[in-house]
Amino acid sequence: MTSEAKIALITGGSRGLGRNAALALAQAGTDVVITYKSQEMEAAHVVAEITALGRKATAIQLDTADTSSFSIFAETLGGKLNTIWSRNQIDFLVNNAGIGAHASIETTSEDTFDQLMSVHLKGVFFLTQTLLPVIADGGRIVNVSTGLTRFSLPGYAAYAMMKGGVEVFTRYLAKELGPRGIAVNTIAPGAIETDFGGGVVRDNAAVNTMIAGQTALGRVGLPDDIGPVIASLLASGAGWVNAQRLEASGGMFL
Ligand SMILES: NC(=O)c1ccc[n+]([C@@H]2O[C@H](COP(=O)([O-])OP(=O)(O)OC[C@H]3O[C@@H](n4cnc5c(N)ncnc54)[C@H](OP(=O)(O)O)[C@@H]3O)[C@@H](O)[C@H]2O)c1
């Protein structure tokens, strides 16, 4: 049973939505490799939680904005897969790691734009490219986008542009990886209470109330609203879902 478990790699699995997806996958019987950028202790805690659920897990440091580190990351991943699982491939890749930045078009600096592009667009493209040989045929990829690609809120132009690019990338990945039996989908969460963007959705009462008022289900999202959806896209019966954008927002701005 253990040796037959699927293995998921989740970028940014130390906190927030990535952590929640890692736990949801573990609860569904999947082993997990998470990455973190700087919060090593948080990542170790997630690994311990997964282990307590009876699944295997490990954490690897990765800065998804640093493309020059990707080949070394792949080597490190290969070593862990071999040591822990006696395998050299993963089954699932979840491109989740991300940062928030809020600035109007008028005030967005080139540095902020470049940072968002590096993490959310270039990093996703080249990390996926690097890992293509490491994803097993018949595997799956989930790219994390945002509801902000469908609806527009002032201050999120650059961020949403990058996520829009990720949604296009999803469709092209699905096209090119189809011959290998790999399905690729986008999940687009609405506003969720995490540390994201300085925790504004969780900690700013006015923002929280505004979003809840624009959400059909009448509240802001929680990590538990997202992780299980990511896990469901990677479940054994969902492999025919391909090249789709699935919004999980409780019905924001309908
Ligand atoms: N929360 C929302 O409202 C919301 C809505 C729609 C979409 N999203 C998207 O969901 C994803 C996860 O967001 P979240 O809310 O879970 O954020 P979060 O709670 O702030 O967690 C961010 C995660 O990404 C990692 N990370 C940040 N920058 C990184 C980098 N340069 N390289 C590698 N890892 C990095 C962090 O690692 P460390 O712990 O080491 O810092 C952490 O694990 C993001 O792509 C975000 O755009 C979020």
Side-chain angles (χ1 to χ4, degrees), residues 149-162:
T149 59
R150 176 179 62 80
F151 49 81
S152 305
L153 287 177
Y156 293 104
Y159 169 74
M161 282 170 66
M162 307 312 163

Side-chain angles (χ1 to χ4, degrees), residues 102-109 154-158:
H102 184 270
S104 68
I105 295 168
E106 199 175 6
T107 61
T108 297
S109 68
Y156 293 104

Side-chain angles (χ1 to χ4, degrees), residues 3-254:
S3 61
E4 293 167 3
K6 302 284 190 190
I7 305 170
L9 169 65
I10 305 176
T11 65
S14 46
R15 294 183 286 123
L17 307 187
R19 170 185 175 275
N20 196 277
L23 294 174
L25 280 162
Q27 274 156 4
T30 301
D31 292 343
V32 186
V33 180
I34 61 166
T35 77
Y36 61 95
K37 185 189 172 201
S38 57
Q39 301 299 310
E40 186 175 4
M41 293 304 292
E42 299 272 359
H45 189 62
V46 176
V47 168
E49 286 179 283
I50 293 170
T51 307
L53 289 167
R55 303 287 6 142
K56 293 181 185 173
T58 191
I60 306 174
Q61 197 278 335
L62 171 70
D63 181 351
T64 58
D66 181 9
T67 53
S68 70
S69 71
F70 290 176
S71 58
I72 291 170
F73 170 76
E75 274 178 39
T76 305
L77 174 64
K80 296 256 193 184
L81 289 171
N82 188 33
T83 305
I84 300 171
W85 285 277
S86 301
R87 283 186 58 181
N88 56 15
Q89 287 186 307
I90 57 173
D91 301 289
F92 309 134
L93 169 64
V94 181
N95 282 309
N96 164 78
I99 50 166
H102 184 270
S104 68
I105 295 168
E106 199 175 6
T107 61
T108 297
S109 68
E110 198 170 336
D111 277 353
T112 297
F113 187 96
D114 286 346
Q115 195 185 21
L116 288 167
M117 186 169 67
S118 296
V119 173
H120 286 290
L121 192 59
K122 186 176 172 186
V124 171
F125 185 99
F126 286 103
L127 183 66
T128 305
Q129 179 193 74
T130 301
L131 295 178
L132 286 180
V134 186
I135 301 170
D137 289 357
R140 277 177 240 168
I141 300 173
V142 173
N143 293 323
V144 179
S145 179
T146 170
L148 290 161
T149 59
R150 176 179 62 80
F151 49 81
S152 305
L153 287 177
Y156 293 104
Y159 169 74
M161 282 170 66
M162 307 312 163
K163 291 296 200 182
V166 165
E167 293 183 11
V168 173
F169 185 44
T170 290
R171 294 196 296 274
Y172 274 80
L173 277 171
K175 191 77 172 174
E176 293 196 13
L177 300 185
R180 292 182 50 196
I182 296 173
V184 190
N185 292 290
T186 295
I187 178 167
I192 313 294
E193 292 188 6
T194 68
D195 297 336
F196 186 76
V200 61
V201 171
R202 179 190 58 214
D203 301 335
N204 184 315
V207 170
N208 193 294
T209 301
M210 182 278 287
I211 293 169
Q214 297 296 334
T215 302
L217 292 178
R219 64 170 175 83
V220 165
L222 300 170
D224 276 344
D225 294 314
I226 301 301
V229 182
I230 293 174
S232 73
L233 283 170
L234 300 175
S236 62
W240 200 239
V241 179
N242 195 18
Q244 299 304 301
R245 175 191 186 274
L246 177 62
E247 188 171 305
S249 71
M252 282 181 73
F253 295 106
L254 297 179

